[in-house]
Every structure is written in C-alpha cells, then in structure tokens.
Amino acid sequence: MSKIHLIDSPFPLSNVKGLGPKRLQVLNELNIHTIEDLILYFPVRYEDNTVIDLTQAEDQSMVTVVGEVYSTPAVAFFGRNKSKLTVHLMVNQIAVKCVFFNQPYLKKKINLNDKVTIKGKWNRRKQEINGNKMLFNTGDEGQPQLEPVYRIKEGIKQKPLRDMIRQVLDEVTIHEWLSAELRDKYKLESLADTVRNLHYAPDKKELLKARRTYAFTELFMFELRMQWLNRIEKTSDEAIEVNYDIELVKDFIQRLPFELTSAQKQSVNEIFRDLKAPVRMHRLLQGDVGSGKTVVAAICMYALKTAGYQSALMVPTEILAEQHAESLSELFGEAMNVALLTGSVKGTQRTLLLEQLRKGEIDCLIGTHALIQDDVVFNNIGLVITDEQHRFGVNQRQLLREKGAMTNVLFMTATPIPRTLAISVFGEMDVSSIKQLPAGRKPILTTWEKHESYEQVLEQMTGELNKGRQAYVICPLIESSEHLEDVQNVIELYESLQSYYGNQRVGLLHGKLSTEDKEEVMQRFSDHEIDILVSTTVVEVGVNVPNATFMMIYDANRFGLSTLHQLRGRVGRSEHQSYCVLIASPKTETGIERMNIMTQTNDGFELSERDLEMRGPGDFFGVKQSGLPDFLVADVVEDYKMLEVARDEAGELIQSGQFFDDQYRTLREFIEDKILYMSFD
Ligand code: ADP
Ligand code: MG
C-alpha cells in the first residue's frame, strides 16, 4: 500500500556505506527500496532503558539500573550446559545481587569497580535482579533511554540497521513542510527533529511530540493533495453544460407511478443546478435504504438524454445491475434505450452492444465494473453515477469518469458516510441527502433473539406468510466450512425450511449459482412464486421486492453493522409493517453491542457513525477501498480531531491562494511530483 511521501530520496539506497548487495536484498525484502523508505522505517517498539530508582521500583517489574561492581563474578554450572553467574553491585547505596543465567562468558568482561548498566527483573524481597542484559562502561550517558527495536529478518541485525539509519539521517537534509506559524500554533516540532526522535527519542515526552508532529504532517500533506485535486477538478472550465429540456423532464416526473417526496425533489433540484453549471458536478447523494435514490438517478439520466448525452450507472453486483436495468427499462419505456453490461455479457452480444454504445444508440448503460474496461467507449457521455460507491475503489471510479473527459459525477450511497470522513477521503464534495422515506412507510421493527428461540421466530414468520407476505432468511456461508462449523450453512437451512414448511415455496440464492440461475430465483421471488428466499448476502444491495416484510438474519453477529443495515433495508419497502429478526448468540462485547445498536435504531446515519466508532474506517469502507493511504503514524480514527484540523489548515492555505505563492513553490513541486496523482487503492 502506498504511503504519503514526506521525504526526498536524494541518492540511491545502494550508495549507503556498508550496504552490499546481500544486505540490500534483505532491506528490499523488508520493503525498503529508497532512502525515504529507510529513514521512515520506524521502530515497531522501543525498549525502555530509562534508569530507575530502585526504592520506587515495583516487585517483579523490569528495571534498568546503573551500578558499580564490588564483587568478582562467580559462575556455577549445573545440569547440561546450564550456568548461573552471580555478581554484586552497588546501586545508589543499595547492595544488589545480580544473577545471569546461561551467560558464563560475561565473567571475563566484568571487572571490579566497573560501572555497568543492567536490565532485568527486580525481586524486591531478595534485593536481587535477574538480569537479561548488561552494558559496560556506560555510566549515565551513552545508552539511549528508549532503544529502538526494528522489525528485522535474517540477514540484518538491530545494531547495523540502527547505525545505518543514523548515518543516513546525518547525511540527508529533511525538508520542512509545515510553516513556522503552523508549528507554533499547534506546538509541533521540525520534521527533521521529528523523524530523528521517532528513531532515537531521548525520552517518552519527546517521542510523543514526534508522533504528534509526524501524524499531523501526514494528514496535512494528504489533505493538501485532496483539496488541490479538487480545485483542479472544479476550476476546469471545460465542463459541459447540460441543457436539458425542463418541460420533457417535468412530463416524465408527472408520469411516475408516485409523487416524489420533498427530499427527492430537493435532491433533483440540487443535481440539476450542478448539471446546468459550467463546472463538473461532484456530488454525493446519500439516503437510507429504501429512500428512493434510484428514481432520482433515473430522472437525471432522462434529463441527460433530453440534452443529447449518454449516461452510465455503475453498481457493485450483477444482480443489482440486472435489477436496475429491468426496473429502469420499465420506468423509461420507449423514452430511453437502456443497456446492461456485466461480466456475463460476452461474444457477439457484447460486440454489438459496444458498437451501439459508440454510435450513441444507447442512452443509458448500466453495469458492474465491466463498464470500465478499455474497449467500452461512449459516444458522448455526460453523467456517471455510481451506486453504493464505497464498494468501488477510487481508481475504478476515476477510470469510469475518464470515459468522458468533462463528465459530471454523482455518487449514491445508502451507507451514509460521516461527513468529515467523506470530505477527507473524497475531497470537498457537495452532498444531497434524502432523509425521508416515501410516505406511508412504517419503521421496521427489529428484534434480537438467541438461537434457542429459533422456533418462535419461525412461528412469527409463518404469521407473516399467512398474510400473503414474503420473507428473506439470510445466512453467512455458502457451504459447510471446516473453520466455521457452528455457522449455519445456507443449503442446510434451505433444506430444513423446506421440510418445515410443506405448503410454502422456499427458494435458494447464493453467490455460487450461475448468473442465469440467480436471476431466475430473484425473478420468481419478485413475482411471488417463491415465499421464502433463503440467501447469502448476495441480496444485500438494492434488491427491491416490496411484498417482502420479514427478514430473518441467521448468525447475525457474523456481519458488520453496515451489512446488517443493508440487509434489513430489503424489507420495509411498502405500506405494510415489516420485521427484522436477528438470530445471534454473540460471545464478544462488540458482538453484543452491535446487536443492541441494530434494535435501537433504524437510522443509517447513526449506524454509520457508531460503526465507525467501533471498527474504524478501514472496516467501514472495506479495507482495500477506503481511499485512504496507509499512514505511517496517523490513525484516522484516533486522530480524528487532528484530521479535521489538518483539513481546515490545508483548505485555508489553498483557498486563500497563499499556496500558489512563491514561498510554497518547493512544497507544491514536491506534492505534484510525489503525492498528487498517486493512488491509494
Ligand atoms: P434506494 O435505492 O434509495 O434504496 P429505491 O430507489 O430502490 O431506494 O426505492 C425503494 C422503493 O420505493 C422502490 O420500490 C421505489 O419504486 C419506491 N419509491 C421511490 N420513491 C418513492 C416515492 N416518492 N413514493 C413512493 N414510493 C417510492
Ligand atoms: Mg438503491
């Protein structure tokens, strides 16, 4: 994973003294390829060698003491190859006995009246130290209080690595990126001192300071990048103006089978304002599951068509792409030519489709990441929409956007991203929110049951089925796995439900079915030829069957909050009361808390904040897709406040225009060279 660059590599690593090809190879294996990598190869921990006052030391704690040898060491051998060395020290007027096991060679090195530093375990009652390390002729100086410990491997030892880093640090000049004002304001050190102290801090206080400064610098540089990129995008004056035909659009909205909610109307207005403006749209449309984002997207795509442009909708799964293609075709009727492109579209069918797309005969292309393949060429694309965008990497989104140089972008998500994080990750994005469900919806009632209550849950489900409703039963895995024996397997569950319900039609859906089979099962569920759909999380996103009012999630503790919320969003899509039952016997506190949160709130915004609190952004977005670089020291969750400060300061610098003054030229060039266009996926 990429890291934010903070340091130049003025010469190649191979120029470092004492670094032959063999060691170079070892360093490479430790992912050290440049001078920068070496300098930023921070210790994984620090051995605390702070000399301590024995009268204050706790019994059985590790201590470091300095003392004077007053007895000739004696060695006793016992057992096979075992030995015990005893020596007496005077430590600050306290006579201390020191024993070293199996280090008989120390005897030759210890002389009467030597001043030595010893590390070991303190036995208060016996006034004895069980030593594991002895350093000679050190006195009070020379020995670093916090000794860096690096991750190493065969071929390189701690000491040479430490020496090498020290040598290189002496030879390079580390540039300062934070202004003196900024450092003053937040009590930060110079970057040069910071880096040095991260290796050789004189004490813990300095180490903490160094950590703060480094974390801030990382976040600040990252934010400069984000906001600079954003400025470049926004000020590109070449963006197309979409001159849609408002009368046609109004007609289209009139003909919808329902009235738009006011939140939907407002979102449409906000998006339309962007479309008409001669700047690229860069907007996030967030709304809880079932809030009706798809129809907002449809209206926009229709508007593009009236202005003579094509549009694209990228979704994370094939099932969702198919569903969208189908429901949008129905919605548009003759008005738009909708096409579907997924991995399953192949051969002549695909060739033909691409040809039509190039000629502009397709108005709206819906698909999975198959949309970003090189040979997918649009005639004149004017709008790119990504649904559940956090599931795509930044690169994938970028590629799709590049299909049309001046394209407007709309991101849709049902997993609301806490705003600070969204801005920090995606840059200053405009946000439209649909915080209102279509009229007549009742909040879903969520309960949490232990496995013992399974039978009762089934009875509750039967009640719903008897009213003519349908149900989802979700379970985590496809087939039995040796590692997760206690997890109900979807096929077993399917079979047991089939025998339990003689008179209800049970269907099975999982990721290992072929696309056609999946589609057929979904279609049958949607046509109410299936009453109970037993499924893995493949139904997680976007699937829309309003008559389904019962959602049972088996082993719910196996899922994260955002997944649970998405799954729950499959019900509650009509005027009928819907239910979600979580079956789980979690063993961990987090597991229990997750179940409780689910029963407490239906609000996706709240859930996402709490999910973030519990798991951090990596998990929240999916580790690889967070769009965040791998910070060396900063932690986006722990240092959340710092991220906000860094964002504001970076924003101030860029928006005030100061950043483009001569004094920041070196910084600008460095960022442009090293950070601006790097990818974090
Ligand atoms: P989302 O994508 O935000 O989860 P959808 O767009 O799938 O939600 O909409 C959920 C359901 O609500 C769909 O059946 C859709 O047709 C319906 N719907 C959308 N907007 C409205 C509205 N204003 N009034 C009534 N039903 C609506
Ligand atoms: Mg949707």
Side-chain angles (χ1 to χ4, degrees):
M1 245 212 265
S2 355
K3 62 168 185 266
I4 284 277
H5 296 276
L6 292 189
I7 291 173
D8 250 326
S9 291
F11 49 84
L13 197 55
S14 52
N15 283 16
V16 174
K17 253 195 283 154
L19 196 53
K22 253 197 188 143
R23 268 201 185 154
L24 199 60
Q25 169 75 27
V26 179
L27 289 189
N28 287 345
E29 282 163 25
L30 289 170
N31 237 334
I32 301 173
H33 302 278
T34 63
I35 293 293
E36 186 199 22
D37 294 338
L38 182 63
I39 291 180
L40 301 184
Y41 196 71
F42 293 138
V44 281
R45 61 183 183 85
Y46 304 83
E47 189 91 14
D48 191 352
N49 292 331
T50 313
V51 174
I52 150 169
D53 179 359
L54 271 185
T55 57
Q56 306 294 317
E58 266 177 52
D59 188 35
Q60 300 303 320
S61 63
M62 287 299 286
V63 295
T64 304
V65 297
V66 178
E68 219 165 292
V69 179
Y70 76 83
S71 79
T72 317
V75 181
F77 289 89
F78 59 97
R80 244 182 99 205
N81 298 327
K82 295 215 173 101
S83 73
K84 177 181 174 183
L85 179 147
T86 309
V87 62
H88 292 87
L89 297 187
M90 197 50 104
V91 178
N92 263 349
Q93 328 286 336
I94 304 174
V96 177
K97 180 170 153 192
C98 291
V99 296
F100 287 87
F101 286 97
N102 307 322
Q103 302 183 47
Y105 48 84
L106 282 178
K107 181 178 163 69
K108 279 198 206 133
K109 298 190 178 176
I110 299 175
N111 303 307
L112 267 182
N113 301 326
D114 270 357
K115 207 169 192 190
V116 294
T117 302
I118 282 187
K119 251 190 107 117
K121 203 189 234 176
W122 175 232
N123 185 324
R124 200 186 181 95
R125 193 177 52 80
K126 291 195 194 160
Q127 297 278 293
E128 185 177 303
I129 293 176
N130 185 345
N132 55 16
K133 200 164 174 191
M134 170 168 274
L135 299 145
F136 299 94
N137 306 320
T138 48
D140 316 52
E141 302 146 46
Q143 174 68 10
Q145 284 189 17
L146 295 175
E147 190 185 334
V149 179
Y150 299 94
R151 187 169 65 84
I152 49 171
K153 60 188 312 225
E154 213 182 303
I156 190 131
K157 293 215 165 76
Q158 293 291 344
K159 188 160 178 336
L161 183 59
R162 198 185 310 161
D163 292 347
M164 206 184 306
I165 293 174
R166 195 187 285 272
Q167 179 206 325
V168 170
L169 271 176
D170 285 342
E171 280 171 24
V172 302
T173 318
I174 292 180
H175 211 96
E176 187 54 59
W177 302 126
L178 302 181
S179 67
E181 292 94 317
L182 216 50
R183 278 187 283 150
D184 249 22
K185 188 167 165 189
Y186 297 108
K187 309 253 178 303
L188 304 169
E189 305 291 289
S190 77
L191 189 57
D193 287 348
T194 295
V195 169
R196 193 168 276 277
N197 282 345
L198 281 170
H199 291 284
Y200 319 108
D203 55 47
K204 283 183 186 157
K205 207 172 128 229
E206 290 299 318
L207 181 61
L208 269 178
K209 237 197 252 172
R211 281 210 166 120
R212 265 187 73 231
T213 303
Y214 198 89
F216 185 87
T217 313
E218 276 185 302
L219 295 171
F220 182 71
M221 296 294 261
F222 175 64
E223 284 302 326
L224 278 179
R225 167 201 190 254
M226 291 308 301
Q227 305 202 29
W228 191 6
L229 264 187
N230 226 24
R231 185 180 163 113
I232 293 170
E233 281 192 352
K234 278 213 167 153
T235 50
S236 109
D237 51 5
E238 301 163 293
I240 52 165
E241 290 170 45
V242 178
N243 290 306
Y244 49 84
D245 184 330
I246 190 66
E247 290 310 317
L248 285 177
V249 175
K250 277 185 180 161
D251 265 7
F252 178 73
I253 296 177
Q254 277 297 314
R255 278 183 277 118
L256 290 173
F258 42 72
E259 164 120 26
L260 294 182
T261 62
S262 55
Q264 283 171 319
K265 281 182 199 155
Q266 192 185 337
S267 298
V268 170
N269 286 336
E270 286 165 358
I271 295 166
F272 273 40
R273 219 178 301 136
D274 287 358
L275 289 176
K276 207 147 207 174
V279 286
R280 273 185 185 191
M281 174 166 74
H282 189 63
R283 184 173 283 276
L284 176 72
L285 173 62
Q286 54 178 21
D288 222 330
V289 271
S291 61
K293 295 180 294 293
T294 316
V295 66
V296 171
I299 294 167
C300 298
M301 293 192 284
Y302 181 73
L304 264 282
K305 153 90 176 173
T306 70
Y309 289 104
Q310 294 170 296
S311 45
L313 172 60
M314 184 160 82
V315 300
T317 66
E318 292 208 0
I319 291 199
L320 189 53
E322 286 153 15
Q323 271 223 336
H324 271 320
E326 193 177 314
S327 64
L328 288 175
S329 300
E330 204 179 297
L331 201 62
F332 291 135
E334 296 292 296
M336 297 255 285
N337 190 8
V338 176
L340 171 70
L341 181 62
T342 62
S344 331
V345 179
K346 290 185 184 120
T348 39
Q349 195 193 353
R350 186 167 188 276
T351 318
L352 214 69
L353 189 151
L354 293 183
E355 169 90 18
Q356 285 182 308
L357 189 69
R358 225 182 332 254
K359 286 195 192 145
E361 290 165 12
I362 290 171
D363 302 314
C364 161
L365 185 64
I366 297 170
T368 52
H369 49 265
L371 293 192
I372 54 178
Q373 283 153 353
D374 274 345
D375 58 347
V376 179
V377 181
F378 291 82
N379 184 285
N380 57 346
I381 187 168
L383 174 65
V384 166
I385 304 176
T386 59
D387 198 4
E388 303 304 342
Q389 49 81 29
H390 65 278
R391 285 160 188 272
F392 296 106
V394 175
N395 273 1
Q396 288 174 316
R397 298 196 296 261
Q398 189 69 25
L399 276 171
L400 183 59
R401 179 200 309 224
E402 279 163 7
K403 299 267 171 207
M406 276 68 103
T407 307
N408 297 292
V409 191
L410 180 67
F411 308 107
M412 301 201 294
T413 182
T415 322
I417 300 162
R419 185 169 164 78
T420 336
L421 198 55
I423 294 170
S424 308
V425 176
F426 302 108
E428 196 58 56
M429 208 171 16
D430 300 303
V431 179
S432 295
S433 301
I434 309 184
K435 287 195 172 180
Q436 175 188 25
L437 295 180
R441 297 278 172 81
K442 297 189 180 73
I444 302 161
L445 293 174
T446 305
T447 47
W448 164 32
E449 303 290 347
K450 299 274 175 67
H451 286 87
E452 300 92 88
S453 315
Y454 179 60
E455 294 278 329
Q456 280 113 283
V457 177
L458 284 186
E459 278 162 32
Q460 195 191 347
M461 183 158 92
T462 312
E464 282 302 296
L465 295 170
N466 288 343
K467 286 188 230 159
R469 303 281 102 77
Q470 291 160 275
Y472 293 96
V473 175
I474 307 295
C475 125
L477 288 183
I478 300 176
E479 50 207 29
S480 358
S481 133
E482 284 174 36
H483 305 291
L484 296 167
E485 276 154 9
D486 54 338
V487 181
Q488 186 78 20
N489 113 23
V490 69
I491 294 165
E492 264 173 36
L493 197 58
Y494 164 71
E495 283 165 0
S496 84
L497 284 171
Q498 241 180 351
S499 57
Y500 182 90
Y501 286 109
N503 55 342
Q504 306 281 3
R505 298 156 298 179
V506 186
L508 174 65
L509 186 69
H510 57 71
K512 290 220 172 142
L513 293 179
S514 71
T515 310
E516 295 91 75
D517 288 349
K518 273 189 257 183
E519 194 175 356
E520 198 206 313
V521 175
M522 265 327 297
Q523 193 58 51
R524 284 174 48 220
F525 187 60
S526 172
D527 294 343
H528 202 168
E529 287 167 23
I530 290 174
D531 302 297
I532 303 166
L533 184 63
V534 183
S535 171
T536 57
T537 51
V538 291
V539 297
E540 181 187 345
V541 204
V543 175
N544 188 28
V545 180
N547 189 49
T549 56
F550 196 87
M551 161 72 55
M552 168 168 126
I553 307 177
Y554 207 91
D555 287 326
N557 53 311
R558 297 273 167 191
F559 302 110
L561 276 181
S562 60
T563 303
L564 289 173
H565 184 59
Q566 288 291 326
L567 286 169
R568 175 168 62 184
R570 298 310 106 217
V571 297
R573 305 191 141 240
S574 67
E575 69 282 5
H576 304 296
Q577 177 63 56
S578 287
Y579 306 88
C580 174
V581 183
L582 311 168
I583 299 196
S585 314
K587 295 188 181 77
T588 66
E589 225 159 272
T590 339
I592 293 169
E593 194 180 342
R594 238 188 263 150
M595 295 306 111
N596 282 329
I597 294 174
M598 282 298 291
T599 61
Q600 284 158 10
T601 181
N602 265 319
D603 180 347
F605 284 85
E606 194 182 330
L607 277 167
S608 75
E609 302 274 358
R610 296 182 74 169
D611 205 20
L612 183 69
E613 269 169 37
M614 286 171 70
R615 304 196 296 164
D619 279 332
F620 179 76
F621 289 110
V623 177
K624 282 258 166 71
Q625 301 170 350
S626 70
L628 289 168
D630 193 14
F631 293 113
L632 282 184
V633 175
D635 177 321
V636 199
V637 174
E638 298 262 301
D639 302 323
Y640 201 71
K641 282 268 152 11
M642 201 189 261
L643 176 64
E644 288 184 345
V645 173
R647 191 191 70 226
D648 292 348
E649 292 292 351
E652 170 69 27
L653 197 59
I654 286 185
Q655 274 149 33
S656 68
Q658 260 194 73
F659 182 66
F660 302 96
D661 291 350
D662 216 41
Q663 64 174 124
Y664 285 106
R665 208 185 64 209
T666 329
L667 174 60
R668 267 198 323 271
E669 284 171 358
F670 182 78
I671 291 182
E672 201 165 12
D673 200 31
K674 298 257 187 160
I675 309 176
L676 197 58
Y677 294 106
M678 75 193 292
S679 144
F680 301 114
D681 291 348

